[in-house]
Amino acid sequence: MVVTSSPSQLAKDWAKGYTSQPTEYEYEIEDIEGQIPSDLQGTLFRNGPGLFEIGGETIGHIFDADGMLRVFRFQDEKVYFQNRYVQTEGYLKEQQEKTILYRGFGTQKSGGWFANLFNTNFKNAANTSVIYWGKKLWAMWEGGYPHQLNAETLETIGLDNLNGLLDKETFSAHPRIIDDTFINFGVSGISPQTLTIWELNQQGEKIKSSSYPVDGFSILHDFLVTPNYYIFIKHPFKLNALPWLLGFKSLEQCLSFDNESQTKILIISRQSKTMEVVETEAFFGFHHGNAWESEDKIYLTTICSDSFPQRENDKMELDKMSFDQPIYGQLWQLTIDLTSKKVTRQPLIERSCDFPSVHPVSVGRKNRYLYLNVASQPTNKAPIQSIMKYDQANGQYQMWNPKERSFAGEPVFVPRQGTIEEDNGYLLSVVYDASIHRSYLVILDAKNLTSPLAKCYLTHHLPQGFHGTWTPENFLK
Ligand code: CO
């Protein structure tokens, strides 16, 4: 008989996965079940929230927690772990003064409304993603500049404006790489906004850029790219900024999802830099899978839910989280007819899911396989715990389920060196096991997810993270 956790136990275990990890470690992982593949050589860089309290006071939202890198370097069937906080200005000041000095997406500064009055200065939490490009390691956060770090030591070098490329713009945490070109975007303003897109070459130098006005307020967290287009999904929101400006409420508490309005899809030509907007029914989702073109259509996969996962107040209280709320979404495929401007939607995965990705060579081209996190149970009212390989050719899938009180994070696909086959490689994911309050790195064979190749147990836990990337260099001295 399969014993599954009760919903309240599951919520408690899930919340325990967001316990602070103040200690910085550096060691070779010795507690390993299975065998690390000999051709797995390089680094898994991951980023995510690390501290949920400052001076004994709990922050308001996991999105506002200080960024902590978690790094796994592989060499000769061994793996070396290191975690380190990004030494942002805000992290250093708050650690020194031991109080919440900055507002965030869902966090208010200590000291009541007066301390927050007209204070629109968020802390750059540097907590969302990390990437190595143009010989620079960047910890990224969508509301500001990236922080550059030393890839060998993880020491923070400082904020990077990309040789003056960035001015008032932010540099988002969701770049895409297509045909050896690094593409990222940034937003300036609150409402309306300006969207700027940059293409960088392999040395990190600008190839081209373009800017567009975007009406109202939007949360542009992710985007898609194809050989000819950039695609942004602008979900409908209303912002009543006054209580936020007056210091009474956090920005999150002043937003409302506007299900009476339409979702707008911004389709921007990479060549002519012109923008077209098509509309479809209201939905929300943070993350997209992949997009591709065929004749006069664009196809894309994206995580969709009926509304934004808004909380009743600005208290973190994760253990009280009800998974009846749409904190994750389902995977849908959208088809955009560029001639008729019609959008059609089709559900692909109905259980809760998030963090979709494809083989790097499939970015912008029709992919067969999609890798993502899903709920273990086929209901959409559960936290994500498992890893799925979804076959878009026939709707079939393979899944790996960790033990029942465990939660797998974003799977990162690592191609086997010199191959381009979509499932010839490994899936790496950090799993939090609430039963022992420790985390481990799981290595799966992307061709067959059934039993892990290796589980590499840390001596401690890591808070559940956001995004990571792989680079074939391991930076070991
Ligand atoms: Co994201």
Side-chain angles (χ1 to χ4, degrees):
M1 189 180 82
V2 178
V3 181
T4 51
S5 301
S6 67
S8 62
Q9 181 63 46
L10 201 57
K12 273 187 201 143
D13 286 340
W14 179 81
K16 221 169 127 188
Y18 292 96
T19 311
S20 297
Q21 177 53 275
T23 310
E24 296 182 322
Y25 296 90
E26 187 172 0
Y27 58 95
E28 179 186 341
I29 302 176
E30 287 178 343
D31 185 358
I32 297 176
E33 282 174 20
Q35 185 77 32
I36 297 172
S38 58
D39 62 351
L40 190 64
Q41 306 266 350
T43 309
L44 174 70
F45 288 108
R46 293 197 56 76
N47 200 351
L51 283 181
F52 305 97
E53 304 87 24
I54 295 160
E57 202 178 343
T58 306
I59 60 164
H61 200 293
I62 59 169
F63 290 175
D64 303 320
D66 290 304
M68 181 185 82
L69 292 202
R70 318 68 164 123
V71 177
F72 298 83
R73 303 174 205 266
F74 296 84
Q75 182 171 279
D76 302 333
E77 299 172 39
K78 291 184 170 171
V79 57
Y80 303 86
F81 173 77
Q82 187 181 5
N83 67 310
R84 197 144 184 193
Y85 278 89
V86 186
Q87 308 271 309
T88 66
E89 188 189 337
Y91 169 81
L92 293 170
K93 274 192 184 161
E94 288 186 330
Q95 288 308 305
Q96 197 177 9
E97 298 195 25
K98 300 200 176 356
T99 182
I100 301 174
L101 297 172
Y102 299 86
R103 299 179 91 178
F105 175 70
T107 298
Q108 292 282 77
K109 215 178 135 168
S110 301
W113 69 270
F114 191 71
N116 289 277
L117 178 70
F118 301 129
N119 184 329
T120 57
N121 183 23
F122 281 16
K123 175 170 68 177
N124 182 331
N127 65 6
T128 314
S129 69
V130 52
I131 197 160
Y132 185 73
W133 187 262
K135 305 236 176 278
K136 283 179 172 179
L137 183 69
W138 285 319
M140 305 175 94
W141 178 71
E142 73 192 36
Y145 289 5
H147 281 79
Q148 191 188 342
L149 294 103
N150 180 318
E152 282 178 18
T153 62
L154 306 185
E155 275 168 316
T156 303
I157 297 166
L159 281 172
D160 187 7
N161 69 4
L162 283 74
N163 299 320
L165 188 69
L166 306 176
D167 179 22
K168 291 197 181 79
E169 303 90 353
T170 63
F171 200 60
S172 152
H174 272 274
R176 298 252 171 192
I177 293 163
I178 181 168
D179 302 326
D180 296 324
T181 301
F182 177 102
I183 307 180
N184 198 11
F185 69 96
V187 170
S188 57
I190 300 277
S191 175
Q193 299 170 328
T194 301
L195 167 68
T196 304
I197 304 156
W198 300 273
E199 297 203 8
L200 308 183
N201 64 15
Q202 283 179 294
Q203 288 71 47
E205 299 156 347
K206 186 180 95 170
I207 305 170
K208 57 178 159 180
S209 66
S210 52
S211 291
Y212 307 86
V214 180
D215 61 345
F217 172 86
S218 37
I219 297 177
L220 296 177
H221 178 71
D222 193 2
F223 80 119
L224 290 151
V225 64
T226 66
N228 289 299
Y229 300 101
Y230 315 114
I231 303 146
F232 290 83
I233 302 184
K234 184 183 184 310
H235 309 99
F237 281 96
K238 281 188 207 156
L239 173 68
N240 173 17
L242 197 61
W244 175 61
L245 291 171
L246 293 179
F248 294 113
K249 290 183 176 181
S250 71
L251 184 65
E252 182 203 7
Q253 297 292 308
C254 295
L255 287 179
S256 53
F257 184 73
D258 182 9
N259 55 10
E260 312 266 286
S261 290
Q262 300 260 290
T263 293
K264 292 179 179 173
I265 303 173
L266 319 181
I267 301 163
I268 299 170
S269 165
R270 289 175 65 191
Q271 276 71 39
S272 70
K273 300 185 176 179
T274 51
M275 177 166 82
E276 277 209 68
V277 180
V278 297
E279 297 195 347
T280 186
E281 59 204 289
F283 68 88
F284 180 75
F286 284 107
H287 296 126
H288 313 314
N290 192 30
W292 63 97
E293 306 162 23
S294 178
E295 295 174 355
D296 65 340
K297 292 189 177 72
I298 292 173
Y299 298 85
L300 64 90
T301 45
T302 183
I303 303 289
C304 290
S305 64
D306 294 338
S307 70
F308 182 73
Q310 198 160 21
R311 303 162 314 149
E312 281 170 21
N313 59 45
D314 58 13
K315 301 273 176 294
M316 214 161 73
E317 298 180 332
L318 293 178
D319 55 336
K320 293 186 187 144
M321 183 74 86
S322 161
F323 290 97
D324 289 342
Q325 300 293 318
I327 61 163
Y328 301 107
Q330 301 173 311
L331 185 78
W332 288 68
Q333 180 171 305
L334 271 59
T335 305
I336 305 159
D337 187 316
L338 295 172
T339 310
S340 69
K341 317 285 183 231
K342 284 219 167 72
V343 181
T344 48
R345 291 208 299 177
Q346 177 197 359
L348 300 183
I349 300 173
E350 300 202 3
R351 66 177 79 207
S352 291
C353 53
D354 202 358
F355 300 123
S357 68
V358 296
H359 187 296
V361 297
S362 299
V363 171
R365 295 177 172 90
K366 186 172 182 184
N367 60 285
R368 176 163 179 185
Y369 299 116
L370 193 79
Y371 304 103
L372 72 173
N373 286 123
V374 296
S376 301
Q377 303 299 320
T379 154
N380 64 357
K381 292 179 178 173
I384 54 175
Q385 290 186 270
S386 302
I387 294 172
M388 179 183 276
K389 171 191 181 185
Y390 180 77
D391 185 343
Q392 283 178 239
N394 54 27
Q396 293 185 342
Y397 60 82
Q398 283 185 27
M399 260 172 78
W400 175 70
N401 299 310
K403 283 192 304 184
E404 64 177 86
R405 296 182 62 192
S406 300
F407 303 83
E410 177 195 56
V412 172
F413 178 80
V414 181
R416 202 163 270 134
Q417 286 172 26
T419 70
I420 54 165
E421 215 185 330
E422 277 187 66
D423 61 349
N424 194 358
Y426 306 105
L427 290 170
L428 307 184
S429 170
V430 177
V431 183
Y432 171 68
D433 182 343
S435 70
I436 51 172
H437 192 51
R438 278 168 67 186
S439 300
Y440 62 88
L441 178 89
V442 67
I443 305 172
L444 301 170
D445 179 344
K447 280 197 188 287
N448 183 355
L449 271 55
T450 328
S451 54
L453 299 171
K455 287 182 179 176
C456 311
Y457 281 88
L458 301 178
T459 56
H460 49 85
H461 90 289
L462 291 174
Q464 292 279 57
F466 295 135
H467 299 291
T469 46
W470 173 260
T471 180
E473 288 177 62
N474 61 28
F475 310 99
L476 286 165
K477 280 159 270 173

